Amino acid sequence: MICSVTDNKLSIEKSDPGRRGLWCKNPLRAKAKLPAALLRKSPPRLPELAEFDVVRHYTRLSRLNFSVDTHFYPLGSCTMKYNPRFNEEAAALEGFAALHPLAHDTCAQGTLELLHDLSARLTELCGLDAITLQPAAGAHSEFTGLLLAKAYFEARGENRTEIVCPDSAHGTNPATASMMGFTTVNLASKPDGRLDVEELKKHIGPKTAVLMLTMPNTLGIFESNIEAIAKAVHEAGALFYMDGANLNALIGMVKPGDFGVDMMHLNFHKTFSTPHGGGGPGAGAIVCSKALAPFLPVPTVKKENGRYVSDFGDGRSIGKVKAFFGNTGVLVRAYAYMLAHSAKEFGEIAVAAILNANYVAALLKDLYPAYSKEYCMHECVLTPGADMTAKGLKTLDIAKGLLDRGFHAPTIYFPNIVHEAIMIEPTETESKETLDEFVAAMRDIHDKGIADPQALKDAPHTMPVKRLDEVQAARQPNLRW
Ligand SMILES: *Cc1c(COP(=O)(O)O)cnc(C)c1O
């Protein structure tokens, strides 16, 4: 059976009764004696295909995808970064991969030592005191952090019901707050994209539990008033939460604990090179101050008399947010990445992330003005120029034009506070050559779009599906194209 590029049949439609993949009989199958009551009455309705048909079917489907291994993926805010193959080797080591989750501490010393050392290095990098590695991703870490805040205020006999989020926050911040039953107080940013400290002071008080601040914020800007922000939050008796998902912009250069952060989360898939995991099985962490440490999920790992042991705390823990120590296989990868860098090299990661974003912004600014006139951090937020807008060309058209040129489209229409936003995060692991190709593609989109606007409005022209009605596609997905 031939799987051509235009082949759009489902595997069940390719099925040919009686066709089989295996040439040899499975010896186990012949021996298995299941009770008759458990046997199917009729064979399952599965595609009947030869092994080669299956391999080609799925390989063809996989090649229709964009991925970090095949394409530049400049997604703003939710970095898709290179996953070093060395990490995979480390995670596959039998001692880690084959460890039973219920193994006694005495039989799991290697893994416990790794978790202990990873914890120590991360708290050091963040300038904080304690950590949990249990959460499965960034948003799950936010959930964990707000559980800590609840437990902390409950223990103090305080009833605080509000979470303050600036409009430059990542969308998961207010979403987590309302999921946890808090009232979200939205703060408008200043025209330069930063949090307005005076505005903040007006909105915090005895009801405020937490300020959740995305740093750098979703405009790719560093909150230079960070110390004044922390002071105002603490004067109101509230906690200062930093969304550190994009710590790759700061790592090794500053320690958030130094500017007054009480707790923050990390995304291992954004800063520590682990695979994204499509919403899990990923890994995140909450790193926090001494005051919050007693409430952390259990177990954590401590060292006692030269041995590593599970620490179940003193009864004040919020409990568990994930089984065992979290997704340990992912944590092994993050640890391998950490060991591959010295402290000085961590600073270089942040420099490269910032340099790459500014390089792209500088080479595009004549055609795609940046929202911020300042240097950005790890990502830049651009907009279509006035000449494109005059021709009715929108950010969506630019994103579709990128697909035709072999680039995954960046995040668009986010942050919401920027009209027609295109948010680009090249990440620290991309070369100058790749960035130059991307810039050339963006400039080509501009030139061709101005010359023939309709052609760009009809893009993509080279993808299996053309321009979709995105709302309808999300609400009534037609998976058959
Ligand atoms: C990605 C991201 C999150 C959410 O993290 P997930 O791991 O996708 O759940 C939260 N905040 C910021 C700033 C992010 O970039």
Side-chain angles (χ1 to χ4, degrees):
M1 189 176 304
I2 298 201
C3 292
S4 71
V5 194
T6 53
D7 162 22
N8 63 0
K9 281 198 180 138
L10 304 178
S11 59
I12 197 81
E13 292 168 339
K14 292 179 185 166
S15 179
D16 182 9
R19 198 170 277 210
R20 287 290 174 272
L22 283 178
W23 289 85
C24 53
K25 286 249 175 318
N26 180 343
L28 290 175
R29 211 170 181 181
K31 284 203 190 128
K33 280 208 181 69
L34 286 172
L38 294 180
L39 294 178
R40 290 174 178 279
K41 304 286 173 286
S42 53
R45 189 172 164 264
L46 292 174
E48 295 180 65
L49 295 166
E51 185 169 340
F52 220 168
D53 300 334
V54 176
V55 170
R56 286 186 181 152
H57 180 76
Y58 285 106
T59 305
R60 186 186 60 77
L61 284 182
S62 74
R63 286 167 64 180
L64 296 177
N65 266 339
F66 283 75
S67 73
V68 263
D69 285 349
T70 49
H71 298 83
F72 178 45
Y73 217 108
L75 205 58
S77 193
C78 294
T79 331
M80 279 282 189
K81 187 163 45 175
Y82 173 59
N83 307 140
R85 295 310 183 257
F86 168 70
N87 291 358
E88 301 306 313
E89 239 175 85
L93 288 173
E94 205 187 340
F96 297 124
L99 182 66
H100 194 284
L102 289 172
H104 191 270
D105 285 353
T106 51
C107 307
Q109 285 297 298
T111 296
L112 293 178
E113 179 176 0
L114 180 146
L115 296 174
H116 188 266
D117 195 38
L118 177 62
S119 300
R121 286 167 187 264
L122 290 171
T123 44
E124 170 71 28
L125 268 171
C126 297
L128 285 158
D129 306 306
I131 186 170
T132 174
L133 301 169
Q134 263 184 30
H140 194 208
S141 307
E142 292 172 31
F143 172 79
T144 308
L146 293 194
L147 280 176
L148 293 185
K150 274 202 160 163
Y152 170 81
F153 287 118
E154 239 168 64
R156 295 166 62 90
E158 290 185 56
N159 182 24
R160 291 177 176 254
T161 52
E162 292 178 355
I163 305 281
V164 179
C165 296
D167 57 10
S168 61
H170 192 266
T172 49
N173 296 181
T176 306
S178 52
M179 195 182 134
M180 299 284 299
F182 286 102
T183 307
T184 309
V185 178
N186 187 39
L187 272 189
S189 304
K190 289 192 293 180
D192 72 356
R194 294 199 169 83
L195 187 144
D196 186 334
V197 185
E198 292 315 311
E199 202 51 29
L200 171 70
K201 284 184 184 157
K202 284 186 218 149
H203 286 85
I204 48 176
K207 280 191 177 167
T208 314
V210 179
L211 167 74
M212 290 182 93
L213 188 72
T214 303
M215 261 283 277
N217 68 27
T218 57
L219 294 163
I221 296 175
F222 186 84
E223 296 284 356
S224 41
N225 292 322
I226 193 81
E227 281 164 328
I229 294 171
K231 189 160 170 269
V233 171
H234 291 146
E235 275 170 10
L239 293 169
F240 183 13
Y241 183 107
M242 177 176 131
D243 178 334
N246 299 299
L247 192 73
N248 55 326
L250 306 173
I251 194 165
M253 300 210 291
V254 291
K255 295 182 175 187
D258 292 350
F259 45 65
V261 165
D262 297 304
M263 61 175 146
M264 60 183 287
H265 83 252
L266 306 172
N267 296 45
F268 290 114
H269 45 285
K270 294 184 188 169
T271 309
F272 297 99
S273 82
T274 66
H276 235 72
I286 282 284
V287 201
C288 67
S289 64
K290 275 200 184 70
L292 291 165
F295 309 105
L296 282 173
V298 286
T300 51
V301 185
K302 68 179 172 191
K303 195 172 181 185
E304 247 175 27
N305 307 325
R307 308 290 290 171
Y308 297 94
V309 290
S310 302
D311 182 355
F312 288 89
D314 60 7
R316 286 184 283 167
S317 161
I318 57 166
K320 280 178 183 295
V321 294
K322 191 99 183 72
F324 308 105
F325 289 98
N327 285 324
T328 313
V330 179
L331 300 173
V332 175
R333 291 171 171 85
Y335 187 66
Y337 182 72
M338 289 204 81
L339 289 193
H341 294 86
S342 65
K344 183 170 158 287
E345 284 165 346
F346 268 117
E348 287 165 7
I349 291 174
V351 170
I354 294 168
L355 184 62
N356 280 0
N358 281 287
Y359 182 72
V360 169
L363 290 183
L364 289 176
K365 71 177 175 200
D366 56 329
L367 303 182
Y368 300 95
Y371 173 79
S372 169
K373 303 295 165 238
E374 302 171 37
Y375 286 118
C376 61
M377 298 211 57
H378 63 303
E379 65 194 359
C380 56
V381 179
L382 309 183
T383 54
D387 55 345
M388 295 186 88
T389 312
K391 301 252 178 202
L393 292 168
K394 296 186 172 305
T395 288
L396 183 64
D397 305 319
I398 298 162
K400 299 296 182 190
L402 278 170
L403 302 182
D404 278 336
R405 288 162 180 81
F407 293 96
H408 189 282
T411 299
I412 54 173
Y413 298 105
F414 183 79
N416 312 351
I417 44 178
V418 179
H419 187 61
E420 296 288 324
I422 314 170
M423 188 191 215
I424 299 168
E425 177 178 9
T427 81
E428 59 274 20
T429 42
E430 294 295 341
S431 67
K432 178 177 175 299
E433 289 74 14
T434 302
L435 301 186
D436 287 339
E437 281 172 32
F438 175 73
V439 166
M442 287 288 282
R443 300 192 72 89
D444 186 49
I445 289 170
H446 167 272
D447 296 351
K448 299 243 165 67
I450 294 290
D452 184 354
Q454 195 54 45
L456 187 56
K457 285 181 198 168
D458 291 339
H461 301 280
T462 58
M463 297 286 112
V465 285
K466 307 296 178 227
R467 188 70 69 102
L468 294 172
D469 174 337
E470 306 217 330
V471 176
Q472 199 192 352
R475 302 240 161 111
Q476 295 168 299
N478 172 5
L479 303 177
R480 303 183 56 88
W481 57 277

